[in-house]
């Protein structure tokens, strides 16, 4: 298409051309984003966009909300399609010292029942400080891609991954290899921005008055999570591949062999990766990496050690969300000195009063820190932290910055010790310590607005019901207006306050609709573990919520168990739930107000049962208890294998126990099993049962 130069267009012609362009670009975007089937070449599309941008600049009076220049932002805020991972995308547990490297190796040997002198080959890699991704190849072609998300479901970023030149679009290989192209290959790795590209991007952003990124990792995340994949293509991203997800090809014997295959397929594999045979070699690798860190062209935040042999990896398996066969050894935290300007008290959803330090902004290892956590009253007293003090701040990874120490020589004269408030700063109720707990709690309970707001915020947060648009500010606003006083009110917002909302300053049709849509998505249903987490019970974080969901499997079963008088005892029998947690959970469900809210919530939102991956195996859903000494497997390995086969492992025997596996010298639990008529298995019988599961 040839165009008249813009300067020669009449306003009428410009208006008509802009309307036509808006329509065409919307069509192309829809084809591209929703169906992943571009209708024109990138060059052609870019030319249309450039023409449109020039027209919008020259004729701003014709720019509409639906004009392409406006829509990119709106689209980016709308979110991505969800993409489920065929194999969960795990994270790593962290260690911070060289001693822990030795402990980690000892633990692995113990789990596998190996002698202290047995060598276990490890692969040591740099831990790239970027954003993890999964890239799925079907019959050798890049067919899909996702962010990690919550490890089970991520965001579909296939279009963005395609924009990264370093990531192969098609697996490379010689002829021999062609015949072996796997049907499915899910490669996991890290997308990163080099230090040089990060500085260049920020310099350009600063020049044009745009937002700068705090560090290369944020820049990489911001560049990859772009609904307009063309933005990704303009940002320079690199990748390193380092892990395997779903895979149907010939199995690898070792992680090292997998890395070799990755290279052959055309993936960038980090050149610093080494094989180590002992903890000493791993520590030497870590020290050498620390030395090299500043000179590397990309950010790293530690080392990752992985067991090389795949058969050992399989035996070691996983705990919660991290493999037992790998660990991240993080570089030490970065520190800086600054001044403590004030101590504020925040009130959390459980009523805990948490002191927060406001400090003079200071750059700690590349990030500007303004606030630090002070944990609790004891911590302030122990470190004798006073307002006006010079303090040393420390930041480690994503952890909230902390105050490590006070520089006493610099303390201003007459600085008084900090007195922890005895009343809630928000509702004025008395603030008390409970039992031996370090935290001070507001006794205002349901009348304390801070607690109510925090509970609602938690309920809507990302790992809970994930209602985008219900962030801090809006919840506070709606709470103050009286529109949302508890979590149930969220689901009546539209019906009761749509018009009010549209009349509020700063709210338009679009933003209101977006919020209502997000609420509707949450109302469509939520998995049991997220729902349990969303309730915000004391002591119940995401990991405990998953344990509870895994044990009860459905809301109906969880609720009816919690209504029984022996709720606490049943909770205590679950592996991973201790007495303090059991008390909190049982108390929560006993509270009449909570019951009422729960009834109303569960009438509104379908709660999805836990679907067991290994459903249908003889052990799935069964409760199993181990007692005595096993000979072929360590206790940990036996438990892990039972869990992998879908069983629940409990620590004590009850009528609900399906099997007790008794090793040598079994005692009381074996007796209880006999009294209750629970099936008792020998170790061999247990093995056979497992083999029957195909694991
Ligand atoms: S392996 C099952 N290797 O670190 C093992 N992760 O803190 C999965 N990361 O989510 C991860 N460099 O985003 C692995 N060489 C490396 C890595 C690495 C960076 C990231 C990854 C992971 C996070 C865990």
């Amino acid at each position: 298409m040839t165009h008249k130069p813009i300067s020669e267009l009449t306003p009428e012609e410009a208006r008509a051309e802009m309307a036509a362009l808006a329509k065409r670009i919307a069509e192309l975007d829809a084809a591209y984003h929703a169906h992943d089937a571009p209708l024109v070449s990138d060059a052609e599309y870019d030319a249309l966009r450039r023409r449109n941008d020039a027209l919008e600049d020259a004729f701003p009076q014709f720019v509409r909300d639906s004009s392409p220049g406006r829509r990119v932002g709106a689209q980016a805020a709308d979110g991505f399609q969800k993409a489920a991972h065929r194999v969960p995308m795990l994270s790593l547990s962290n260690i911070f010292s060289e001693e822990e490297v030795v402990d980690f190796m000892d633990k692995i040997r113990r789990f596998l029942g190996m002698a202290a002198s047995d060598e276990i080959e490890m692969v040591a890699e740099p831990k790239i400080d970027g954003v993890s991704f999964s890239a799925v190849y079907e019959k050798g072609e890049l067919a899909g891609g996702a962010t990690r998300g919550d490890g089970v479901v991520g965001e579909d970023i296939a279009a963005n991954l395609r924009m990264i030149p370093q990531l192969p679009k098609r697996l490379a290989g010689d002829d021999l290899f062609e015949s072996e192209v796997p049907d499915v290959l899910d490669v996991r790795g890290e997308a990163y921005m080099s230090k040089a590209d990060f500085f260049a991007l920020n310099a350009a952003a600063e020049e044009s008055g745009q937002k700068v990124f705090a560090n290369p990792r944020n820049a990489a995340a911001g560049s990859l999570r772009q609904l307009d994949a063309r933005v990704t293509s303009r940002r320079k991203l690199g990748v390193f591949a380092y892990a395997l997800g779903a895979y149907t090809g010939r199995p690898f014997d070792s992680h090292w062999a997998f890395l070799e295959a990755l290279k052959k397929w055309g993936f960038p594999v980090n050149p610093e990766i080494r094989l180590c045979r002992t903890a000493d070699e791993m520590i030497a690798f870590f020290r050498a990496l620390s030395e090299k860190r500043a000179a590397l062209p990309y950010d790293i935040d530690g080392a990752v050690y992985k067991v090389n042999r795949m058969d050992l990896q399989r035996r070691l398996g996983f705990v919660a969300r991290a493999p037992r066969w790998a660990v991240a050894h993080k570089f030490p935290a970065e520190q800086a000195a600054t001044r403590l300007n004030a101590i504020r008290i925040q009130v959390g959803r459980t009523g805990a009063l948490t002191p927060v330090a406001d400090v003079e902004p200071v750059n700690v290892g590349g990030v500007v820190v303004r606030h630090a956590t002070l944990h609790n009253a004891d911590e302030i007293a122990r470190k004798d932290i006073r307002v006006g003090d010079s303090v040393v701040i420390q930041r480690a990874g994503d952890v909230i910055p902390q105050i490590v120490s006070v520089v006493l020589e610099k303390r201003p004269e007459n600085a008084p010790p900090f007195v922890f408030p005895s009343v809630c700063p928000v509702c004025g109720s008395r603030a008390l310590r409970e039992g031996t707990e370090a935290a001070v709690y507001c006794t205002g309970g349901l009348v304390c607005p801070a607690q109510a707001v925090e509970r609602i915020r938690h309920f809507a947060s990302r790992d809970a019901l994930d209602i985008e648009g219900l962030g801090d500010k809006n919840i506070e606003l709606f709470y103050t207006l009286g529109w949302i006083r508890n979590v149930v009110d969220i689901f009546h917002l539209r019906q009761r306050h749509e018009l009010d909302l549209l009349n509020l300053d700063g709210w338009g049709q679009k933003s209101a609709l977006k919020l209502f849509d997000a609420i509707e998505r949450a109302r469509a249903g939520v998995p049991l573990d997220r729902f349990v987490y969303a309730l915000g019970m004391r002591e119940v974080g995401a990991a405990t919520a998953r344990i509870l969901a895994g044990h009860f499997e459905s809301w109906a079963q969880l609720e009816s168990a919690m209504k029984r008088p022996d709720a606490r005892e049943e909770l205590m029998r679950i592996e991973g739930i201790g007495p303090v947690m059991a008390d909190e959970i049982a108390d929560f469900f006993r509270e009449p107000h909570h019951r009422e809210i729960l009834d109303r919530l569960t009438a509104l939102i379908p709660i999805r049962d836990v679907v067991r991956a290994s459903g249908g195996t003889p052990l799935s859903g069964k409760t199993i208890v181990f007692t005595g000494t096993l000979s072929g497997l360590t206790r940990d390995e036996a438990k892990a294998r039972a869990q992998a086969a879908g069983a629940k492992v409990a620590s004590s025997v009850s009528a609900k126990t399906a099997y007790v596996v008794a090793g040598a010298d079994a005692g009381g639990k074996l007796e209880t099993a006999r009294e209750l008529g629970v099936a008792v298995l020998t170790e061999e019988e247990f093995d056979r049962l497992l083999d029957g599961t195909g694991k």
Side-chain angles (χ1 to χ4, degrees):
M1 215 193 307
T2 50
H3 296 293
K4 261 193 191 174
I6 288 181
S7 55
E8 291 174 16
L9 288 176
T10 65
E12 257 326 295
E13 284 170 332
R15 198 216 306 255
E17 188 178 341
M18 282 168 79
L21 269 174
K23 197 161 155 247
R24 178 71 178 147
I25 289 173
E27 269 167 25
L28 296 179
D29 281 348
Y32 188 89
H33 291 297
H35 316 301
D36 209 9
L39 301 174
V40 296
S41 72
D42 282 0
E44 215 169 306
Y45 178 91
D46 280 345
L48 292 178
R49 286 298 290 234
R50 276 199 304 274
R51 173 78 179 175
N52 179 73
D53 290 350
L55 281 163
E56 287 190 10
D57 283 347
F59 297 93
Q61 67 273 36
F62 300 140
V63 175
R64 298 270 167 279
D65 267 357
S66 58
S67 294
R70 291 279 174 91
R71 274 200 13 252
V72 176
Q75 250 182 7
D78 274 344
F80 289 79
Q81 301 278 336
K82 301 264 187 245
H85 299 297
R86 280 179 242 201
V87 171
M89 242 177 123
L90 300 157
S91 69
L92 297 168
S93 36
N94 295 323
I95 56 174
F96 296 92
S97 67
E98 297 183 348
E99 294 78 67
E100 286 172 286
V101 175
V102 178
D103 293 348
F104 172 67
M105 293 312 296
D106 285 346
K107 223 160 63 194
I108 290 185
R109 272 195 210 90
R110 223 176 308 128
F111 188 94
L112 296 170
M114 288 183 166
S117 54
D118 287 340
E119 263 182 16
I120 300 179
E121 211 171 35
M122 301 294 292
V123 179
E125 309 183 353
K127 185 168 185 305
I128 315 296
D129 200 5
V131 200
S132 52
F133 67 83
S134 131
V136 180
Y137 294 79
E138 285 173 8
K139 299 214 185 311
E141 303 279 345
L142 178 58
T147 60
R148 189 161 88 89
D150 63 4
V152 179
V153 178
E155 288 170 326
D156 185 340
I157 51 159
N160 311 67
L161 287 180
R162 274 184 223 289
M163 297 295 174
I164 302 178
Q166 280 191 3
L167 191 75
K169 310 297 165 287
R170 183 163 199 288
L171 300 181
D174 51 30
D175 286 345
L176 177 117
F177 188 70
E178 286 279 318
S179 59
E180 286 182 29
V181 161
D183 280 345
V184 176
L185 167 70
D186 176 357
V187 171
R188 275 88 191 263
E190 203 86 352
Y192 65 90
M193 189 175 285
S194 74
K195 295 176 189 172
D197 288 328
F198 163 71
F199 288 122
L201 177 68
N202 266 0
E206 208 157 321
E207 205 155 281
S208 58
Q210 282 168 307
K211 213 181 108 200
V212 295
F213 288 106
N215 52 45
R217 174 164 43 87
N218 288 359
S223 305
L224 197 58
R225 295 185 66 252
Q226 282 287 340
L227 261 177
D228 186 350
R230 284 164 183 78
V231 177
T232 311
S233 79
R234 284 196 291 272
R235 307 267 175 86
K236 296 203 179 79
L237 291 179
V239 291
F240 284 119
Y242 53 62
L244 184 60
Y247 173 60
T248 59
R250 206 171 42 174
F252 298 103
D253 289 339
S254 66
H255 182 60
W256 192 265
F258 164 64
L259 293 175
E260 289 299 325
L262 281 176
K263 288 185 213 166
K264 231 166 50 171
W265 277 320
F267 293 92
V269 171
N270 190 280
E272 311 297 330
I273 299 180
R274 299 284 181 274
L275 264 179
C276 299
R277 280 166 309 149
T278 61
D280 282 345
E281 287 184 17
M282 292 154 71
I283 292 169
F285 173 87
F286 182 79
R287 291 189 186 165
L289 194 64
S290 316
E291 297 283 310
K292 264 191 192 166
R293 182 182 186 184
L296 290 175
Y298 43 84
D299 270 353
I300 58 173
D301 58 344
V304 180
Y305 310 123
K306 302 173 181 174
V307 169
N308 190 31
R309 271 170 55 182
M310 291 289 187
D311 59 333
L312 296 186
Q313 286 193 6
R314 266 190 297 278
R315 280 179 60 192
L316 284 157
F318 305 92
V319 236
R321 289 185 171 193
R324 277 196 201 83
W325 45 264
V327 77
H329 184 177
K330 304 285 281 272
F331 290 135
E334 316 229 30
Q335 300 191 336
T338 186
R339 183 180 178 280
L340 174 60
N341 288 335
I343 297 179
R344 262 183 306 125
I345 305 290
Q346 283 183 346
V347 186
R349 64 169 205 276
T350 60
L353 266 48
T354 309
V356 179
D358 288 342
V359 299
E360 199 57 35
V362 60
N363 189 316
V364 191
V367 170
V368 177
V369 170
R370 295 189 164 77
H371 314 284
T373 170
L374 289 166
H375 301 290
N376 52 49
D378 286 351
E379 168 97 355
I380 301 180
R382 193 166 53 79
K383 294 185 178 156
D384 188 18
I385 297 169
R386 305 184 186 189
V387 174
D389 271 341
S390 288
V391 291
V392 177
I393 298 256
Q394 152 170 316
R395 204 193 112 244
D398 287 337
V399 184
I400 307 170
Q402 297 179 317
I403 292 187
V404 195
S405 58
V406 172
V407 189
L408 284 177
E409 306 81 68
K410 292 198 187 162
R411 171 165 289 167
E413 266 178 57
N414 309 328
F418 182 72
V419 182
F420 206 84
S422 55
V423 295
C424 169
V426 177
C427 73
S429 304
R430 277 195 311 150
L432 290 179
R433 270 188 181 217
E434 290 181 8
T436 54
E437 276 200 71
V440 173
Y441 287 95
C442 160
T443 54
L446 298 170
V447 304
C448 177
Q451 289 185 47
V453 166
E454 284 307 316
R455 271 196 300 269
I456 301 167
R457 195 202 313 272
H458 177 80
F459 184 82
S461 66
R462 207 182 144 117
D463 292 335
L465 266 77
D466 192 16
I467 306 180
E468 221 179 306
L470 263 193
D472 305 10
K473 267 193 293 172
N474 288 340
I475 290 177
E476 251 172 67
L477 174 72
F478 298 152
Y479 186 87
T480 316
L481 290 166
W483 299 353
I484 296 183
R485 283 288 163 131
N486 59 49
V487 294
V488 178
D489 291 344
I490 296 173
F491 301 98
H492 300 305
L493 183 69
R494 179 166 205 172
Q495 173 201 349
R496 294 181 187 158
H497 297 289
E498 179 163 7
L499 275 182
D500 302 331
L501 185 62
L502 288 172
N503 285 322
L504 271 191
D505 265 2
W507 284 84
Q509 193 91 28
K510 210 148 119 191
S511 45
L513 271 184
K514 227 181 88 186
L515 174 61
F516 296 143
D517 277 352
I519 294 174
E520 279 315 303
R521 275 198 297 279
R523 192 211 293 270
V526 53
L528 179 60
D529 61 330
R530 278 177 174 257
F531 184 73
V532 170
Y533 171 74
L535 298 178
M537 292 181 268
R538 273 190 206 172
E539 303 288 329
V540 180
T544 307
R546 273 195 297 277
I547 294 179
L548 288 172
H551 180 85
F552 291 104
E553 297 185 346
S554 73
W555 174 254
Q557 288 187 56
L558 169 61
E559 199 189 22
S560 71
M562 292 302 101
K563 281 183 178 159
R564 285 195 292 269
D566 65 345
R568 183 173 181 276
E569 287 64 41
E570 161 135 27
L571 289 165
M572 296 266 290
R573 277 196 291 272
I574 305 173
E575 181 83 8
I577 307 274
V580 178
M581 283 182 189
D583 278 341
E584 291 291 354
I585 300 164
D587 284 352
F588 180 91
F589 279 90
R590 220 172 289 130
E591 227 279 326
H593 176 79
H594 290 156
R595 284 205 173 170
E596 184 208 320
I597 293 269
L598 288 174
D599 286 344
R600 289 166 61 197
L601 267 181
T602 50
L604 282 167
I605 313 171
I607 298 166
R608 291 202 287 277
D609 294 354
V610 173
V611 186
R612 296 213 160 261
S614 34
T617 76
L619 280 175
S620 68
K622 299 269 169 58
T623 303
I624 189 162
V625 174
F626 292 94
T627 177
T629 315
L630 306 177
S631 60
L633 294 172
T634 61
R635 175 75 73 88
D636 285 341
E637 195 174 0
K639 272 191 203 169
R641 291 185 60 190
Q643 279 161 344
K648 301 179 224 170
V649 179
S651 48
S652 65
V653 182
S654 77
K656 291 198 193 115
T657 312
Y659 302 107
V660 168
V661 179
D665 303 323
K669 290 182 193 173
L670 181 56
E671 265 168 46
T672 318
R674 297 221 167 101
E675 278 161 25
L676 294 173
V678 171
V680 177
L681 302 180
T682 63
E683 192 176 340
E684 293 70 39
E685 286 167 331
F686 169 64
D687 266 347
R688 253 176 277 138
L689 207 56
L690 275 183
D691 289 343
T693 70
K695 300 249 162 198

